[in-house]
Amino acid sequence: MGMWVTEECKNSFMEMKWRKVHRYIVFKIDEVSRLLTVDKVGGPAESYHDLVASLPDDDCRYAVFDFDFVTVDNCRKSKIFFIAWAPTASRIRAKMLYATSKDGLRRVLDGIHYEVQATDPNEMGFDVIMDKAK
């Protein structure tokens, strides 16, 4: 049985994608109701490091991050990253729920360019993001 994505999640993503209201959004699945909700949003001034710091050490989350950068030929670009966070210390059941629900969420969030899966902060380091975005 999968989970349901709330309107709040869809709306927050659209605000990030089109209006640049959020730098990142962290999503959380409520295991009882099976609803995916917005756990935290980061304002436009927040950084990738703020996102990484906001993820729990012992529980899974999904996150989307709007990465702005300048290419070698000086073009401003923006790429949206989807991050599946499943730290080693999280419960097996949570890892399974997040793993099986990921594709459903990806289908709803239209406009994701890259996906990163991480079990510790090093696997989603800023260098990883930079490499993928090039």
Side-chain angles (χ1 to χ4, degrees):
M1 177 129 138
M3 49 95 203
W4 287 272
V5 180
T6 61
E7 285 302 310
E8 178 195 22
C9 294
K10 297 174 195 171
N11 295 341
S12 296
F13 182 74
M14 286 303 166
E15 285 177 348
M16 182 181 97
K17 182 178 162 184
W18 298 114
R19 298 191 17 240
K20 305 287 184 187
V21 177
H22 314 300
R23 172 66 56 207
Y24 64 83
I25 308 166
V26 179
F27 302 105
K28 176 182 184 178
I29 299 175
D30 181 307
E31 286 186 29
V32 179
S33 67
R34 299 251 181 207
L35 284 177
L36 183 80
T37 58
V38 172
D39 190 33
K40 185 177 194 298
V41 293
E46 290 200 50
S47 72
Y48 186 69
H49 301 289
D50 295 320
L51 164 61
V52 174
S54 76
L55 296 171
D57 295 333
D58 59 353
D59 200 6
C60 303
R61 293 290 186 275
Y62 300 121
V64 284
F65 178 72
D66 188 6
F67 179 55
D68 290 327
F69 62 101
V70 178
T71 62
V72 281
D73 46 0
N74 234 5
C75 292
R76 289 194 64 82
K77 285 209 168 164
S78 172
K79 298 284 182 192
I80 295 177
F81 279 80
F82 178 88
I83 298 161
W85 173 246
T88 315
S90 52
R91 297 177 346 274
I92 297 288
R93 184 177 164 173
K95 288 181 196 175
M96 287 175 62
L97 180 61
Y98 277 79
T100 55
S101 303
K102 185 182 67 165
D103 290 342
L105 176 60
R106 288 271 327 245
R107 275 194 294 277
V108 171
L109 304 181
D110 184 40
I112 289 166
H113 299 100
Y114 301 105
E115 181 176 318
V116 176
Q117 298 197 36
T119 57
D120 75 64
N122 296 332
E123 292 177 7
M124 54 180 281
F126 193 66
D127 53 334
V128 175
I129 300 294
M130 286 292 296
D131 276 355
K132 281 187 183 271
K134 281 181 197 156

